[in-house]
Amino acid sequence: MFYKKVLFFFAVAVVFLTLSCASSDVEPRSIAAPSAKKTEQKSNSAKKADKAPLTPEVKFAQNVSSALESGNTEKALALFDSMPANMQNDSDLQTIRASLLLSSGKTGEAEGLAKELLAANPKDVDVLSLNVMVAKSKGDNKVKSALLKQIIAIDPKNPDANLELGDEQALKHNYRAARNYYKTALASEPNNTSALFSYGKMAYYLEQDADAKQSFEKILELNPNDTQALSYLGKLEGEAKRFRAARDYISRAIKIEPDNPDFYLDLGSYSRFLGDYKGAENAWQKAVQYDPEYFLGYAYLAGLYDEQNNTDKALEYYRKVVEKNPKYFYAYESLGMFEWHKGNWAEARKAFAMAMSKKPDNVSYALMIAASYWKENKIPDLKKFTESVMKGMDRTGLEYAVLRMYHDLGGDIGVVQKVQNESNRNKKGKFLYYTALYFELKKNTSIAQKYYAEVVGMQSPMFFEYRLAEWSTSDVAD
């Protein structure tokens, strides 16, 4: 009966919207509107109903539909309590009722009714779908997956079941399996924008750029204002180094959705690659304005200011990065550099200690921690720290020799020669810096500047110490 189809559409729309809003793992799906043909059928049915007395069944359906259209789920549920007696055992209507209970947060009641319906109708796809929604709302992925497979066994190309199974695989990073489920969904519904987007995204992750582009472009044919399709087309253009086209796509998305911080992150990146530094700065400032708790916008800004040698701003934003995401270890090395440059020895030491916790074998971090202790005049702490680091080191290596020099606060003659004899250019540059820093800490400024100048003269900034050497020579010049 048509009135049941109409009710089912509204009920499923309500429950899927509820589940989409409650889930942070999978992007919300759009609920397709009734086709023009169905809308016309509904209109014609309504006209016929005007000419003839309404039956209790039709009147009930109209009342429930009206309540659902107005968003009054509780009123719709109350109507089910007083539904005509001859309709009370109708499995389709009880499925709708269970869906409404679920969307109202009455999961226990919905689950009980759903199980009863499944026992009586074990091969009814709508009933199975209802039980999938119940399992999803409870976070019971095992039951949900088993029910989805039952649906697939009955209807292999069922688009909703294939979309759900695809989402499961996508969350596990099984992108190829997810793509295949989305492809099956598209075989049934080639214009399903949810399936098109998910298929395109999996193709993008699998570096199947032509398939991804085709999928996103198909979405734009159906809906020119789909911002996610525009965003991914921008990513594809950006990765192909067509940054102007990438910026055009993301600018279109921003006009439609001007408060999406992710779009501004992309806009900043494309602008930066086009040499528009001010545009990049403005875009990333917008990103942190719209999502002040997400660290990545601050990281991009810190890197931009770092590149422009705006040390005050770079330090400010590196601090923001680790404040928002203390586990983002990539920022600690840069943070330590800028804290050191500003003379914040204790803060520099803490930053390098965090960097070292991620890469404990990086002797550069150990040496910067030792130098920070020395600057703080905490010599016992310096010796205790360097002793703990040296325990597991190769005593014949250059790393041990330089660290031992810091531990002993002396013994530099043999170490300097060992540094000068190092054949690896980058390694030599690194340890020339620590040689210079050692002499600076010993108050032998002229020798320190000699070695700082030698580092800077290498013009090979492949190690962070090169930047510190530059600052040391410029500070003297100033």
Side-chain angles (χ1 to χ4, degrees), residues 294-324:
Y294 187 48
F295 76 97
L296 198 54
Y298 298 106
Y300 286 160
L301 284 164
L304 182 67
Y305 295 131
D306 187 344
E307 185 179 359
Q308 296 173 336
N309 209 27
N310 186 338
T311 57
D312 290 336
K313 281 286 189 181
L315 176 55
E316 176 187 347
Y317 280 90
Y318 278 125
R319 285 173 176 171
K320 280 285 187 183
V321 173
V322 299
E323 174 192 330
K324 301 301 179 182

PDB file of all heavy atoms in Angstrom, residues 294-324:
ATOM      1  N   TYR A 294      42.103  22.782  16.779  1.00  0.00           N
ATOM      2  CA  TYR A 294      42.827  21.866  15.898  1.00  0.00           C
ATOM      3  C   TYR A 294      44.228  22.419  15.647  1.00  0.00           C
ATOM      4  O   TYR A 294      44.401  23.583  15.299  1.00  0.00           O
ATOM      5  CB  TYR A 294      42.070  21.682  14.590  1.00  0.00           C
ATOM      6  CG  TYR A 294      42.648  20.627  13.686  1.00  0.00           C
ATOM      7  CD1 TYR A 294      42.987  19.364  14.184  1.00  0.00           C
ATOM      8  CD2 TYR A 294      42.855  20.871  12.337  1.00  0.00           C
ATOM      9  CE1 TYR A 294      43.517  18.393  13.364  1.00  0.00           C
ATOM     10  CE2 TYR A 294      43.385  19.894  11.493  1.00  0.00           C
ATOM     11  CZ  TYR A 294      43.707  18.654  12.009  1.00  0.00           C
ATOM     12  OH  TYR A 294      44.230  17.691  11.187  1.00  0.00           O
ATOM     13  N   PHE A 295      45.222  21.561  15.773  1.00  0.00           N
ATOM     14  CA  PHE A 295      46.615  22.009  15.777  1.00  0.00           C
ATOM     15  C   PHE A 295      47.181  22.340  14.403  1.00  0.00           C
ATOM     16  O   PHE A 295      48.127  23.113  14.289  1.00  0.00           O
ATOM     17  CB  PHE A 295      47.496  20.924  16.419  1.00  0.00           C
ATOM     18  CG  PHE A 295      47.760  19.744  15.513  1.00  0.00           C
ATOM     19  CD1 PHE A 295      48.930  19.667  14.780  1.00  0.00           C
ATOM     20  CD2 PHE A 295      46.833  18.716  15.387  1.00  0.00           C
ATOM     21  CE1 PHE A 295      49.187  18.595  13.946  1.00  0.00           C
ATOM     22  CE2 PHE A 295      47.069  17.640  14.550  1.00  0.00           C
ATOM     23  CZ  PHE A 295      48.248  17.585  13.829  1.00  0.00           C
ATOM     24  N   LEU A 296      46.621  21.749  13.331  1.00  0.00           N
ATOM     25  CA  LEU A 296      47.306  21.807  12.039  1.00  0.00           C
ATOM     26  C   LEU A 296      47.403  23.226  11.481  1.00  0.00           C
ATOM     27  O   LEU A 296      48.419  23.588  10.876  1.00  0.00           O
ATOM     28  CB  LEU A 296      46.613  20.887  11.038  1.00  0.00           C
ATOM     29  CG  LEU A 296      47.428  20.507   9.799  1.00  0.00           C
ATOM     30  CD1 LEU A 296      48.781  19.923  10.194  1.00  0.00           C
ATOM     31  CD2 LEU A 296      46.657  19.530   8.928  1.00  0.00           C
ATOM     32  N   GLY A 297      46.375  24.044  11.663  1.00  0.00           N
ATOM     33  CA  GLY A 297      46.444  25.421  11.191  1.00  0.00           C
ATOM     34  C   GLY A 297      47.574  26.181  11.860  1.00  0.00           C
ATOM     35  O   GLY A 297      48.304  26.955  11.206  1.00  0.00           O
ATOM     36  N   TYR A 298      47.760  25.952  13.155  1.00  0.00           N
ATOM     37  CA  TYR A 298      48.863  26.598  13.878  1.00  0.00           C
ATOM     38  C   TYR A 298      50.214  26.098  13.347  1.00  0.00           C
ATOM     39  O   TYR A 298      51.175  26.871  13.251  1.00  0.00           O
ATOM     40  CB  TYR A 298      48.758  26.296  15.376  1.00  0.00           C
ATOM     41  CG  TYR A 298      47.501  26.810  16.022  1.00  0.00           C
ATOM     42  CD1 TYR A 298      46.479  25.947  16.389  1.00  0.00           C
ATOM     43  CD2 TYR A 298      47.314  28.171  16.276  1.00  0.00           C
ATOM     44  CE1 TYR A 298      45.314  26.410  16.987  1.00  0.00           C
ATOM     45  CE2 TYR A 298      46.170  28.645  16.876  1.00  0.00           C
ATOM     46  CZ  TYR A 298      45.164  27.755  17.223  1.00  0.00           C
ATOM     47  OH  TYR A 298      44.012  28.222  17.814  1.00  0.00           O
ATOM     48  N   ALA A 299      50.281  24.784  13.014  1.00  0.00           N
ATOM     49  CA  ALA A 299      51.531  24.228  12.493  1.00  0.00           C
ATOM     50  C   ALA A 299      51.893  24.867  11.151  1.00  0.00           C
ATOM     51  O   ALA A 299      53.066  25.200  10.905  1.00  0.00           O
ATOM     52  CB  ALA A 299      51.407  22.710  12.338  1.00  0.00           C
ATOM     53  N   TYR A 300      50.887  25.033  10.283  1.00  0.00           N
ATOM     54  CA  TYR A 300      51.157  25.663   8.991  1.00  0.00           C
ATOM     55  C   TYR A 300      51.615  27.109   9.169  1.00  0.00           C
ATOM     56  O   TYR A 300      52.545  27.563   8.495  1.00  0.00           O
ATOM     57  CB  TYR A 300      49.900  25.626   8.123  1.00  0.00           C
ATOM     58  CG  TYR A 300      49.562  24.269   7.550  1.00  0.00           C
ATOM     59  CD1 TYR A 300      48.275  23.984   7.105  1.00  0.00           C
ATOM     60  CD2 TYR A 300      50.519  23.269   7.437  1.00  0.00           C
ATOM     61  CE1 TYR A 300      47.954  22.757   6.562  1.00  0.00           C
ATOM     62  CE2 TYR A 300      50.203  22.029   6.906  1.00  0.00           C
ATOM     63  CZ  TYR A 300      48.918  21.779   6.465  1.00  0.00           C
ATOM     64  OH  TYR A 300      48.609  20.556   5.924  1.00  0.00           O
ATOM     65  N   LEU A 301      50.961  27.829  10.072  1.00  0.00           N
ATOM     66  CA  LEU A 301      51.352  29.216  10.315  1.00  0.00           C
ATOM     67  C   LEU A 301      52.753  29.296  10.917  1.00  0.00           C
ATOM     68  O   LEU A 301      53.555  30.155  10.536  1.00  0.00           O
ATOM     69  CB  LEU A 301      50.331  29.892  11.234  1.00  0.00           C
ATOM     70  CG  LEU A 301      49.013  30.282  10.568  1.00  0.00           C
ATOM     71  CD1 LEU A 301      47.950  30.574  11.605  1.00  0.00           C
ATOM     72  CD2 LEU A 301      49.202  31.495   9.659  1.00  0.00           C
ATOM     73  N   ALA A 302      53.054  28.398  11.842  1.00  0.00           N
ATOM     74  CA  ALA A 302      54.395  28.380  12.448  1.00  0.00           C
ATOM     75  C   ALA A 302      55.450  28.159  11.380  1.00  0.00           C
ATOM     76  O   ALA A 302      56.485  28.845  11.341  1.00  0.00           O
ATOM     77  CB  ALA A 302      54.475  27.285  13.510  1.00  0.00           C
ATOM     78  N   GLY A 303      55.195  27.207  10.476  1.00  0.00           N
ATOM     79  CA  GLY A 303      56.145  26.940   9.401  1.00  0.00           C
ATOM     80  C   GLY A 303      56.305  28.120   8.463  1.00  0.00           C
ATOM     81  O   GLY A 303      57.419  28.417   8.005  1.00  0.00           O
ATOM     82  N   LEU A 304      55.195  28.817   8.192  1.00  0.00           N
ATOM     83  CA  LEU A 304      55.247  29.988   7.309  1.00  0.00           C
ATOM     84  C   LEU A 304      56.080  31.100   7.936  1.00  0.00           C
ATOM     85  O   LEU A 304      56.951  31.705   7.287  1.00  0.00           O
ATOM     86  CB  LEU A 304      53.829  30.477   7.019  1.00  0.00           C
ATOM     87  CG  LEU A 304      53.700  31.666   6.064  1.00  0.00           C
ATOM     88  CD1 LEU A 304      54.130  31.264   4.658  1.00  0.00           C
ATOM     89  CD2 LEU A 304      52.260  32.183   6.047  1.00  0.00           C
ATOM     90  N   TYR A 305      55.828  31.378   9.225  1.00  0.00           N
ATOM     91  CA  TYR A 305      56.591  32.427   9.911  1.00  0.00           C
ATOM     92  C   TYR A 305      58.053  32.020  10.078  1.00  0.00           C
ATOM     93  O   TYR A 305      58.963  32.853   9.991  1.00  0.00           O
ATOM     94  CB  TYR A 305      55.965  32.737  11.264  1.00  0.00           C
ATOM     95  CG  TYR A 305      54.586  33.338  11.169  1.00  0.00           C
ATOM     96  CD1 TYR A 305      53.525  32.839  11.924  1.00  0.00           C
ATOM     97  CD2 TYR A 305      54.330  34.409  10.313  1.00  0.00           C
ATOM     98  CE1 TYR A 305      52.249  33.401  11.839  1.00  0.00           C
ATOM     99  CE2 TYR A 305      53.069  34.973  10.221  1.00  0.00           C
ATOM    100  CZ  TYR A 305      52.035  34.456  10.981  1.00  0.00           C
ATOM    101  OH  TYR A 305      50.775  35.004  10.884  1.00  0.00           O
ATOM    102  N   ASP A 306      58.281  30.729  10.289  1.00  0.00           N
ATOM    103  CA  ASP A 306      59.644  30.197  10.379  1.00  0.00           C
ATOM    104  C   ASP A 306      60.382  30.455   9.063  1.00  0.00           C
ATOM    105  O   ASP A 306      61.516  30.965   9.055  1.00  0.00           O
ATOM    106  CB  ASP A 306      59.552  28.696  10.654  1.00  0.00           C
ATOM    107  CG  ASP A 306      60.903  28.050  10.939  1.00  0.00           C
ATOM    108  OD1 ASP A 306      61.931  28.654  10.634  1.00  0.00           O
ATOM    109  OD2 ASP A 306      60.912  26.920  11.468  1.00  0.00           O
ATOM    110  N   GLU A 307      59.715  30.145   7.962  1.00  0.00           N
ATOM    111  CA  GLU A 307      60.309  30.338   6.646  1.00  0.00           C
ATOM    112  C   GLU A 307      60.643  31.803   6.384  1.00  0.00           C
ATOM    113  O   GLU A 307      61.636  32.126   5.723  1.00  0.00           O
ATOM    114  CB  GLU A 307      59.326  29.826   5.586  1.00  0.00           C
ATOM    115  CG  GLU A 307      59.844  29.851   4.174  1.00  0.00           C
ATOM    116  CD  GLU A 307      58.814  29.317   3.183  1.00  0.00           C
ATOM    117  OE1 GLU A 307      57.716  28.914   3.616  1.00  0.00           O
ATOM    118  OE2 GLU A 307      59.114  29.326   1.983  1.00  0.00           O
ATOM    119  N   GLN A 308      59.822  32.705   6.914  1.00  0.00           N
ATOM    120  CA  GLN A 308      60.033  34.136   6.718  1.00  0.00           C
ATOM    121  C   GLN A 308      60.950  34.736   7.783  1.00  0.00           C
ATOM    122  O   GLN A 308      61.144  35.955   7.818  1.00  0.00           O
ATOM    123  CB  GLN A 308      58.678  34.849   6.726  1.00  0.00           C
ATOM    124  CG  GLN A 308      57.778  34.422   5.570  1.00  0.00           C
ATOM    125  CD  GLN A 308      56.379  35.006   5.676  1.00  0.00           C
ATOM    126  OE1 GLN A 308      55.909  35.346   6.760  1.00  0.00           O
ATOM    127  NE2 GLN A 308      55.706  35.139   4.543  1.00  0.00           N
ATOM    128  N   ASN A 309      61.468  33.859   8.662  1.00  0.00           N
ATOM    129  CA  ASN A 309      62.377  34.283   9.739  1.00  0.00           C
ATOM    130  C   ASN A 309      61.719  35.275  10.699  1.00  0.00           C
ATOM    131  O   ASN A 309      62.384  36.117  11.301  1.00  0.00           O
ATOM    132  CB  ASN A 309      63.677  34.881   9.175  1.00  0.00           C
ATOM    133  CG  ASN A 309      64.841  34.660  10.124  1.00  0.00           C
ATOM    134  OD1 ASN A 309      64.855  33.708  10.908  1.00  0.00           O
ATOM    135  ND2 ASN A 309      65.816  35.551  10.082  1.00  0.00           N
ATOM    136  N   ASN A 310      60.397  35.155  10.819  1.00  0.00           N
ATOM    137  CA  ASN A 310      59.659  35.944  11.813  1.00  0.00           C
ATOM    138  C   ASN A 310      59.672  35.133  13.104  1.00  0.00           C
ATOM    139  O   ASN A 310      58.749  34.389  13.408  1.00  0.00           O
ATOM    140  CB  ASN A 310      58.231  36.194  11.328  1.00  0.00           C
ATOM    141  CG  ASN A 310      57.454  37.130  12.236  1.00  0.00           C
ATOM    142  OD1 ASN A 310      57.795  37.294  13.410  1.00  0.00           O
ATOM    143  ND2 ASN A 310      56.413  37.737  11.704  1.00  0.00           N
ATOM    144  N   THR A 311      60.768  35.269  13.843  1.00  0.00           N
ATOM    145  CA  THR A 311      61.014  34.360  14.964  1.00  0.00           C
ATOM    146  C   THR A 311      59.999  34.506  16.093  1.00  0.00           C
ATOM    147  O   THR A 311      59.656  33.523  16.752  1.00  0.00           O
ATOM    148  CB  THR A 311      62.435  34.571  15.508  1.00  0.00           C
ATOM    149  OG1 THR A 311      62.601  35.941  15.898  1.00  0.00           O
ATOM    150  CG2 THR A 311      63.468  34.212  14.466  1.00  0.00           C
ATOM    151  N   ASP A 312      59.511  35.714  16.340  1.00  0.00           N
ATOM    152  CA  ASP A 312      58.528  35.909  17.403  1.00  0.00           C
ATOM    153  C   ASP A 312      57.228  35.169  17.091  1.00  0.00           C
ATOM    154  O   ASP A 312      56.670  34.460  17.939  1.00  0.00           O
ATOM    155  CB  ASP A 312      58.241  37.402  17.601  1.00  0.00           C
ATOM    156  CG  ASP A 312      59.415  38.147  18.222  1.00  0.00           C
ATOM    157  OD1 ASP A 312      60.237  37.497  18.902  1.00  0.00           O
ATOM    158  OD2 ASP A 312      59.517  39.373  18.024  1.00  0.00           O
ATOM    159  N   LYS A 313      56.741  35.348  15.859  1.00  0.00           N
ATOM    160  CA  LYS A 313      55.495  34.699  15.449  1.00  0.00           C
ATOM    161  C   LYS A 313      55.679  33.185  15.360  1.00  0.00           C
ATOM    162  O   LYS A 313      54.788  32.415  15.733  1.00  0.00           O
ATOM    163  CB  LYS A 313      55.035  35.244  14.097  1.00  0.00           C
ATOM    164  CG  LYS A 313      54.347  36.595  14.175  1.00  0.00           C
ATOM    165  CD  LYS A 313      52.942  36.442  14.747  1.00  0.00           C
ATOM    166  CE  LYS A 313      52.147  37.719  14.630  1.00  0.00           C
ATOM    167  NZ  LYS A 313      50.776  37.575  15.205  1.00  0.00           N
ATOM    168  N   ALA A 314      56.830  32.752  14.846  1.00  0.00           N
ATOM    169  CA  ALA A 314      57.082  31.310  14.729  1.00  0.00           C
ATOM    170  C   ALA A 314      57.041  30.657  16.101  1.00  0.00           C
ATOM    171  O   ALA A 314      56.393  29.608  16.285  1.00  0.00           O
ATOM    172  CB  ALA A 314      58.431  31.067  14.064  1.00  0.00           C
ATOM    173  N   LEU A 315      57.718  31.273  17.077  1.00  0.00           N
ATOM    174  CA  LEU A 315      57.721  30.724  18.431  1.00  0.00           C
ATOM    175  C   LEU A 315      56.305  30.693  19.006  1.00  0.00           C
ATOM    176  O   LEU A 315      55.880  29.687  19.596  1.00  0.00           O
ATOM    177  CB  LEU A 315      58.632  31.562  19.333  1.00  0.00           C
ATOM    178  CG  LEU A 315      58.673  31.166  20.819  1.00  0.00           C
ATOM    179  CD1 LEU A 315      59.048  29.706  20.980  1.00  0.00           C
ATOM    180  CD2 LEU A 315      59.640  32.069  21.584  1.00  0.00           C
ATOM    181  N   GLU A 316      55.552  31.772  18.805  1.00  0.00           N
ATOM    182  CA  GLU A 316      54.170  31.842  19.309  1.00  0.00           C
ATOM    183  C   GLU A 316      53.335  30.680  18.781  1.00  0.00           C
ATOM    184  O   GLU A 316      52.593  30.032  19.530  1.00  0.00           O
ATOM    185  CB  GLU A 316      53.539  33.175  18.890  1.00  0.00           C
ATOM    186  CG  GLU A 316      52.075  33.310  19.279  1.00  0.00           C
ATOM    187  CD  GLU A 316      51.439  34.569  18.687  1.00  0.00           C
ATOM    188  OE1 GLU A 316      52.183  35.446  18.190  1.00  0.00           O
ATOM    189  OE2 GLU A 316      50.198  34.665  18.697  1.00  0.00           O
ATOM    190  N   TYR A 317      53.478  30.408  17.495  1.00  0.00           N
ATOM    191  CA  TYR A 317      52.625  29.387  16.886  1.00  0.00           C
ATOM    192  C   TYR A 317      53.138  27.977  17.118  1.00  0.00           C
ATOM    193  O   TYR A 317      52.344  27.032  17.207  1.00  0.00           O
ATOM    194  CB  TYR A 317      52.407  29.697  15.403  1.00  0.00           C
ATOM    195  CG  TYR A 317      51.334  30.750  15.236  1.00  0.00           C
ATOM    196  CD1 TYR A 317      51.660  32.106  15.224  1.00  0.00           C
ATOM    197  CD2 TYR A 317      50.001  30.397  15.161  1.00  0.00           C
ATOM    198  CE1 TYR A 317      50.678  33.080  15.114  1.00  0.00           C
ATOM    199  CE2 TYR A 317      49.010  31.356  15.049  1.00  0.00           C
ATOM    200  CZ  TYR A 317      49.353  32.697  15.029  1.00  0.00           C
ATOM    201  OH  TYR A 317      48.369  33.647  14.935  1.00  0.00           O
ATOM    202  N   TYR A 318      54.456  27.789  17.251  1.00  0.00           N
ATOM    203  CA  TYR A 318      54.939  26.451  17.635  1.00  0.00           C
ATOM    204  C   TYR A 318      54.453  26.104  19.047  1.00  0.00           C
ATOM    205  O   TYR A 318      54.137  24.936  19.331  1.00  0.00           O
ATOM    206  CB  TYR A 318      56.463  26.383  17.552  1.00  0.00           C
ATOM    207  CG  TYR A 318      56.983  26.133  16.149  1.00  0.00           C
ATOM    208  CD1 TYR A 318      57.905  27.000  15.560  1.00  0.00           C
ATOM    209  CD2 TYR A 318      56.557  25.029  15.421  1.00  0.00           C
ATOM    210  CE1 TYR A 318      58.377  26.775  14.271  1.00  0.00           C
ATOM    211  CE2 TYR A 318      57.030  24.802  14.129  1.00  0.00           C
ATOM    212  CZ  TYR A 318      57.929  25.679  13.559  1.00  0.00           C
ATOM    213  OH  TYR A 318      58.393  25.451  12.286  1.00  0.00           O
ATOM    214  N   ARG A 319      54.412  27.089  19.908  1.00  0.00           N
ATOM    215  CA  ARG A 319      53.859  26.845  21.249  1.00  0.00           C
ATOM    216  C   ARG A 319      52.393  26.432  21.165  1.00  0.00           C
ATOM    217  O   ARG A 319      51.930  25.551  21.895  1.00  0.00           O
ATOM    218  CB  ARG A 319      53.995  28.103  22.110  1.00  0.00           C
ATOM    219  CG  ARG A 319      55.403  28.369  22.611  1.00  0.00           C
ATOM    220  CD  ARG A 319      55.488  29.720  23.316  1.00  0.00           C
ATOM    221  NE  ARG A 319      56.803  29.969  23.893  1.00  0.00           N
ATOM    222  CZ  ARG A 319      57.170  31.142  24.396  1.00  0.00           C
ATOM    223  NH1 ARG A 319      56.336  32.178  24.364  1.00  0.00           N
ATOM    224  NH2 ARG A 319      58.376  31.289  24.914  1.00  0.00           N
ATOM    225  N   LYS A 320      51.658  27.079  20.253  1.00  0.00           N
ATOM    226  CA  LYS A 320      50.246  26.748  20.071  1.00  0.00           C
ATOM    227  C   LYS A 320      50.080  25.317  19.569  1.00  0.00           C
ATOM    228  O   LYS A 320      49.165  24.608  19.971  1.00  0.00           O
ATOM    229  CB  LYS A 320      49.607  27.714  19.072  1.00  0.00           C
ATOM    230  CG  LYS A 320      49.212  29.055  19.639  1.00  0.00           C
ATOM    231  CD  LYS A 320      47.942  28.934  20.486  1.00  0.00           C
ATOM    232  CE  LYS A 320      47.439  30.293  20.908  1.00  0.00           C
ATOM    233  NZ  LYS A 320      46.251  30.172  21.795  1.00  0.00           N
ATOM    234  N   VAL A 321      50.975  24.912  18.679  1.00  0.00           N
ATOM    235  CA  VAL A 321      50.885  23.565  18.108  1.00  0.00           C
ATOM    236  C   VAL A 321      50.935  22.519  19.207  1.00  0.00           C
ATOM    237  O   VAL A 321      50.071  21.632  19.290  1.00  0.00           O
ATOM    238  CB  VAL A 321      52.015  23.317  17.085  1.00  0.00           C
ATOM    239  CG1 VAL A 321      51.999  21.852  16.625  1.00  0.00           C
ATOM    240  CG2 VAL A 321      51.862  24.234  15.883  1.00  0.00           C
ATOM    241  N   VAL A 322      51.952  22.590  20.067  1.00  0.00           N
ATOM    242  CA  VAL A 322      52.100  21.559  21.099  1.00  0.00           C
ATOM    243  C   VAL A 322      51.085  21.724  22.218  1.00  0.00           C
ATOM    244  O   VAL A 322      50.773  20.769  22.930  1.00  0.00           O
ATOM    245  CB  VAL A 322      53.539  21.535  21.651  1.00  0.00           C
ATOM    246  CG1 VAL A 322      54.525  21.216  20.542  1.00  0.00           C
ATOM    247  CG2 VAL A 322      53.905  22.840  22.337  1.00  0.00           C
ATOM    248  N   GLU A 323      50.557  22.939  22.376  1.00  0.00           N
ATOM    249  CA  GLU A 323      49.481  23.134  23.343  1.00  0.00           C
ATOM    250  C   GLU A 323      48.226  22.385  22.886  1.00  0.00           C
ATOM    251  O   GLU A 323      47.558  21.720  23.683  1.00  0.00           O
ATOM    252  CB  GLU A 323      49.162  24.628  23.479  1.00  0.00           C
ATOM    253  CG  GLU A 323      47.943  24.929  24.357  1.00  0.00           C
ATOM    254  CD  GLU A 323      47.486  26.371  24.222  1.00  0.00           C
ATOM    255  OE1 GLU A 323      48.323  27.263  23.969  1.00  0.00           O
ATOM    256  OE2 GLU A 323      46.267  26.606  24.355  1.00  0.00           O
ATOM    257  N   LYS A 324      47.935  22.485  21.598  1.00  0.00           N
ATOM    258  CA  LYS A 324      46.723  21.851  21.063  1.00  0.00           C
ATOM    259  C   LYS A 324      46.910  20.351  20.838  1.00  0.00           C
ATOM    260  O   LYS A 324      45.962  19.582  20.946  1.00  0.00           O
ATOM    261  CB  LYS A 324      46.312  22.510  19.748  1.00  0.00           C
ATOM    262  CG  LYS A 324      46.035  24.009  19.861  1.00  0.00           C
ATOM    263  CD  LYS A 324      44.922  24.309  20.862  1.00  0.00           C
ATOM    264  CE  LYS A 324      44.670  25.805  20.991  1.00  0.00           C
ATOM    265  NZ  LYS A 324      43.630  26.112  21.997  1.00  0.00           N
TER     266      LYS A 324
END
